[in-house]
Amino acid sequence: VQLLESGGGLVQAGGSLRLSCAASGSTFNIKAMGWYRQAPGKQRELVAAITPGGVTIYYADSVKGRFTISRDNAKNTMYLQMNSLKPEDTAVYYCNAVPNMAYWGQGTQVTVSS
């Protein structure tokens, strides 16, 4: 599976963004998938995860109630709707399987200004 993240950008605190993850390969539909993020100087962390069937199985405490993960298996695409963004959400966001594969895409930068 190859992964291409998009949808990041610069937004003011309180704003919203919708990230997309386009996956190639035939195994996307059978994998649990997740959104991860890595802020400067910090380790990469799992933010949200979803089962192959589209059931959400995890949100980090820091994003609960603000972020929504979803997927469209017909399009081999996963999404992350991010609302009420905070400066501490600033990071590079990646999609990957859960548990993650060794391969990582380039990610998409999200910058939230205060």
Side-chain angles (χ1 to χ4, degrees):
V1 177
Q2 291 193 317
L3 305 164
L4 181 62
E5 302 92 345
S6 63
L10 173 63
V11 64
Q12 289 188 330
S16 298
L17 285 172
R18 188 192 195 204
L19 306 184
S20 296
C21 169
S24 62
S26 59
T27 59
F28 174 82
N29 292 354
I30 64 172
K31 291 185 179 292
M33 296 292 295
W35 284 97
Y36 300 75
R37 68 184 181 186
Q38 187 167 22
K42 295 187 177 181
Q43 288 191 330
R44 190 173 293 167
E45 63 172 342
L46 178 65
V47 172
I50 191 166
T51 66
V55 177
T56 302
I57 53 175
Y58 176 79
Y59 285 116
D61 287 343
S62 58
V63 307
K64 282 180 182 176
R66 300 188 298 121
F67 290 10
T68 303
I69 189 171
S70 62
R71 66 191 294 166
D72 185 339
N73 288 341
K75 296 181 179 179
N76 271 20
T77 303
M78 182 175 65
Y79 306 97
L80 186 68
Q81 178 66 42
M82 306 187 296
N83 298 328
S84 301
L85 283 161
K86 303 176 180 180
E88 51 263 44
D89 295 318
T90 295
V92 179
Y93 284 72
Y94 303 87
C95 61
N96 207 317
V98 178
N100 65 272
M101 302 177 294
Y103 166 83
W104 291 90
Q106 64 181 11
T108 185
Q109 175 71 48
V110 171
T111 303
V112 185
S113 63
S114 57

